[in-house]
Amino acid sequence: MGAEAAAALMNRLSADYNATVPSSTPHFYSWDTLGPSPITPKTGAFSIGRPSGGGPALLTLNSYSRTTVDFAASTQAPPYMDPPTFKTVVLGKDAVTWSAKAGGHAPANLTTQDLYDIYSCALGKTNWAAFGGGAGTIKPYLPQAGSDTRAFFLNAIGNPTLGACVVTGPQENQGTDPLLNDVDVIFPYSAGHWVGQANGHTTATDDKGTLTLRGINGIAPLTATGTLNPVFAGSTYGRVLYNVFRYSEWNAFPATPQSTALRAIFGSTGYLCSAAGRATVAGYGFLAVPAATCGT
């Protein structure tokens, strides 16, 4: 459970890992952000509301014990706490940009200031013609509350006071939402997740639809071959994919069956950081981090 941007990737990694271990070994399962609620994460667990993103998943991790949930996927590092509550380990790199309908009125590139003005609904900045695009009233959308992508994007553009023209509602990274099928729409999007969708990792409710990714400050989010651009991911619009655990459980001494199982899956020598795991990260659109960084 956790960040929607990583949901499809985590589902694939869990299936691949589970196929490598005997039934007697602890398995790895991940819950999507969308679906019926409440859920019972594992046998003997409390019934809980399905977390709708990375933020709610971290709250769930903090509110329940290991009998209910062991980890959360997140694209934002938890706040520093002393003594530490959480342990984060790195899985890969992502980036967030803005998207618009193919063939619509939006230009190919906007600056950070442009994005700030658009989401502020600033005077004179509510028509695409003001940014070199076609004439049309801009329709700024944001993902659901609790979305990591929403929080990251707004922080990256300067945390504007949202104007009355901004609409909250579509699920993050779901380009087939009917609200987004509009020539004047603008919507934040995980570049890595979009690449994964373009690579065919889609479902009926997890698809980029007609949305295409656009550049920021003159840097394209994609390379010429359609992969996530490392230069863009190295900018202020780049972010890290984390898996987050309770500090005391990850660092248990002496090691416990739970800490051993967690490290076998998520640690630097675990499956997710193996050559096979890192290849899956890249295949799902994200940038694999160096082996020395993964799982740390």
Side-chain angles (χ1 to χ4, degrees):
M1 66 179 64
E4 196 280 334
L9 169 62
M10 296 301 284
N11 288 341
R12 180 72 268 162
L13 289 169
S14 68
D16 290 347
Y17 171 76
N18 292 341
T20 70
V21 296
S23 58
S24 57
T25 298
H27 281 39
F28 160 34
Y29 297 104
S30 182
W31 287 82
D32 292 340
T33 56
L34 290 176
S37 184
I39 61 173
T40 303
K42 56 183 179 178
T43 302
F46 284 104
S47 179
I48 63 173
R50 181 187 294 265
S52 61
L58 290 176
L59 288 174
T60 299
L61 185 67
N62 194 45
S63 300
Y64 294 89
S65 72
R66 64 185 180 87
T67 60
T68 297
V69 60
D70 294 291
F71 78 100
S74 180
T75 53
Q76 55 182 327
Y80 173 78
M81 297 180 183
D82 186 16
T85 298
F86 294 121
K87 167 64 178 177
T88 60
V89 300
V90 176
L91 177 61
K93 282 290 298 274
D94 186 24
V96 175
T97 190
W98 62 284
S99 65
K101 182 178 172 64
H105 293 144
N109 181 78
L110 292 170
T111 67
T112 296
Q113 184 62 55
D114 292 339
L115 291 165
Y116 183 96
D117 291 341
I118 287 171
Y119 279 89
S120 301
C121 309
L123 184 66
K125 303 292 186 178
T126 58
N127 194 292
W128 283 122
F131 302 97
T137 301
I138 302 172
K139 297 180 180 178
Y141 283 85
L142 286 171
Q144 79 282 3
S147 156
D148 276 7
T149 296
R150 172 193 174 113
F152 180 89
F153 177 77
L154 290 176
N155 183 67
I157 68 173
N159 283 316
T161 298
L162 300 179
C165 68
V166 178
V167 177
T168 291
Q171 184 75 18
E172 64 179 293
N173 306 316
Q174 305 303 320
T176 53
D177 189 304
L179 291 174
L180 303 177
N181 186 23
D182 191 299
V183 294
D184 292 312
V185 78
I186 176 173
F187 187 59
Y189 220 96
S190 158
H193 194 87
W194 189 98
V195 173
Q197 291 171 331
N199 287 346
H201 303 302
T202 61
T203 67
T205 57
D206 185 6
D207 197 300
K208 63 185 179 62
T210 60
L211 295 182
T212 58
L213 302 185
R214 309 299 170 97
I216 302 176
N217 299 327
I219 306 175
L222 304 179
T223 65
T225 57
T227 59
L228 177 56
N229 182 0
V231 177
F232 189 81
S235 74
T236 56
Y237 290 91
R239 62 181 180 177
V240 176
L241 299 181
Y242 296 102
N243 285 304
V244 185
F245 311 89
R246 297 179 193 88
Y247 186 91
S248 59
E249 293 169 0
W250 179 267
N251 289 298
F253 183 81
T256 64
Q258 184 201 21
S259 69
T260 300
L262 292 176
R263 288 174 180 270
I265 300 168
F266 302 96
S268 58
T269 59
Y271 179 82
L272 271 61
C273 293
S274 68
R278 292 168 65 243
T280 299
V281 170
Y284 272 71
F286 303 99
L287 296 180
V289 296
T293 303
C294 187
T296 62

